[in-house]
Amino acid sequence: MKSMLALGMFLAVMVLSGCSNLTVLDPKGPVAEQQANLILFSIGFMLFIVVVVFVLFTLILVKYRERKSGPEYEPPHIEGNVFLEIVWTVIPIIILIVLAVPTVQTIFALEKPPEATSHKDPIVIHATSVDWKWVFSYPEENIETVNYLHIPEDHPILFKLSSADSMGSFWIPSLGGQEYTMSGMMTELYLQADEIGEYRGRNSNFTGEGFTEQVFTVTAESEEDYNEWVEEAQEAPELTQEKYNELMLKGHAEEMTFSETHLQWVNHGMDAEYATKVRNGELNEEDDSHDSHSGMDHKDSEKDSESDSH
Ligand SMILES: [Cu+2]
């Protein structure tokens, strides 16, 4: 038993001392930091419980082990114990409260923009997962990128997440996340980088064949460099619907930069069918006779094309 305990402790020390290599526990922004603190607190607290349980387990095994009491020995009959019943009901309740309170607090805190920079207007970026690439639209800057992001440091970024097809998951381990992306829906996630650097982002929800390549880079730079990059990107070739529809086809894509965004003709948060229609070649007869589609579908695409034309 003692050796089991020693082994457990050894493994715990091994895992914990390896932490510095884990991106999630090496946060580069306030969101990731809060998440890492919550993870470390939970691991520490649960480890404490594991130690207490193992110590009690060992003591009880030793104390109540089989003894040479003779063949007539009969253990006493015990019919319940109110004190013990209360103890092992109350302790788990306390454990749950200690774990739940900081978890719920963190969840609610992360719904809001990071406090330290709350005086700055967040930069809005629409992040759309497409099998198997990431499309990023900066509506205010009027630029669109594929598979890479530039963000200023110390500035809150509000990601509006959606998907053109399969349900994906947006994750930049150094900065925080993950958060699901779904077609026909929009989820929001605030992230912020406190350090200049290059970070990796990815889809963390398995979506088939090209899933492992559905990654992107995040360059966090000074406000100045970022503004320079925005100006440069605004000079990039305009995104056409034809070009965008190519991106809707399944497959990997290189890093790309465009001026204009796809939001002028489709918001995947409202129109779940766009990529499917492109793939089925149904998109060219834009404005008339959608009679083969369901009612919901019809309404959505009508609403979209209406708002586009004004
Ligand atoms: Cu959903």
Side-chain angles (χ1 to χ4, degrees):
M1 206 56 246
K2 284 261 165 62
S3 64
M4 279 279 284
L5 191 66
L7 180 69
M9 296 295 283
F10 175 73
L11 285 177
V13 169
M14 287 294 285
V15 168
L16 289 179
S17 62
C19 279
S20 53
N21 298 326
L22 297 175
T23 321
V24 170
L25 297 177
D26 184 21
K28 302 293 187 198
V31 174
E33 196 180 333
Q34 274 171 279
Q35 292 179 335
N37 288 345
L38 182 64
I39 291 171
L40 284 176
F41 165 77
S42 306
I43 291 177
F45 183 65
M46 290 187 284
L47 211 63
F48 165 73
I49 294 164
V50 167
V51 168
V52 170
V53 168
F54 268 81
V55 167
L56 282 176
F57 186 48
T58 314
L59 287 178
I60 286 166
L61 273 185
V62 171
K63 190 173 175 200
Y64 298 103
R65 70 187 185 280
E66 194 181 16
R67 291 194 184 84
K68 291 175 191 141
S69 326
E72 300 92 47
Y73 174 74
E74 202 171 308
H77 289 276
I78 300 169
E79 310 253 342
N81 183 319
V82 176
F83 173 72
L84 282 178
E85 296 281 357
I86 290 173
V87 166
W88 63 55
T89 306
V90 167
I91 289 179
I93 291 174
I94 292 172
I95 291 174
L96 283 183
I97 290 172
V98 172
L99 284 175
V101 168
T103 304
V104 173
Q105 273 175 345
T106 308
I107 288 170
F108 277 93
L110 294 182
E111 287 292 309
K112 288 176 262 164
E115 232 161 67
T117 50
S118 55
H119 57 285
K120 297 182 187 174
D121 276 338
I123 292 171
V124 175
I125 302 177
H126 288 247
T128 309
S129 58
V130 191
D131 288 347
W132 292 280
K133 58 194 87 69
W134 287 95
V135 177
F136 301 106
S137 313
Y138 297 64
E140 284 149 41
E141 292 75 11
N142 206 27
I143 50 183
E144 181 142 321
T145 63
V146 176
N147 287 343
Y148 84 97
L149 273 174
H150 275 237
I151 57 170
E153 64 158 347
D154 286 322
H155 201 122
I157 314 289
L158 172 56
F159 285 101
K160 296 195 177 233
L161 307 172
S162 188
S163 173
D165 41 35
S166 349
M167 178 169 151
S169 176
F170 179 82
W171 192 28
I172 307 172
S174 299
L175 304 185
Q178 51 80 30
E179 185 84 36
Y180 288 112
T181 63
M182 294 167 279
S183 58
M185 292 186 200
M186 195 156 272
T187 42
E188 292 190 347
L189 176 67
Y190 281 102
L191 292 181
Q192 179 178 311
D194 282 347
E195 270 177 53
I196 289 175
E198 221 170 72
Y199 308 115
R200 307 265 296 157
R202 62 164 306 109
N203 175 9
S204 61
N205 195 45
F206 181 71
T207 50
E209 203 190 338
F211 153 80
T212 44
E213 286 190 335
Q214 197 176 347
V215 293
F216 58 96
T217 55
V218 186
T219 306
E221 53 200 357
S222 67
E223 220 43 79
E224 238 171 52
D225 289 348
Y226 169 75
N227 289 333
E228 237 169 70
W229 172 79
V230 168
E231 273 169 38
E232 242 170 68
Q234 283 166 340
E235 305 288 303
E238 242 177 63
L239 178 68
T240 60
Q241 191 162 6
E242 200 187 349
K243 181 76 208 163
Y244 186 70
N245 289 354
E246 276 172 38
L247 289 172
M248 291 297 102
L249 304 178
K250 283 187 181 223
H252 188 56
E254 299 301 304
E255 291 189 356
M256 297 179 198
T257 314
F258 301 101
S259 53
E260 306 288 328
T261 76
H262 73 263
L263 296 170
Q264 54 190 315
W265 59 78
V266 60
N267 180 342
H268 297 280
M270 312 269 273
D271 183 354
E273 307 288 324
Y274 187 84
T276 318
K277 283 183 205 155
V278 171
R279 288 169 197 173
N280 294 342
E282 288 171 39
L283 215 79
N284 300 328
E285 359 89 81
E286 266 286 278
D287 13 32
D288 38 27
S289 62
H290 279 70
D291 28 30
S292 59
H293 301 302
S294 70
M296 272 297 285
D297 199 13
H298 196 157
K299 224 187 283 167
D300 271 351
S301 51
E302 246 180 15
K303 196 168 56 194
D304 278 349
S305 50
E306 249 169 45
S307 57
D308 289 348
S309 55
H310 296 298

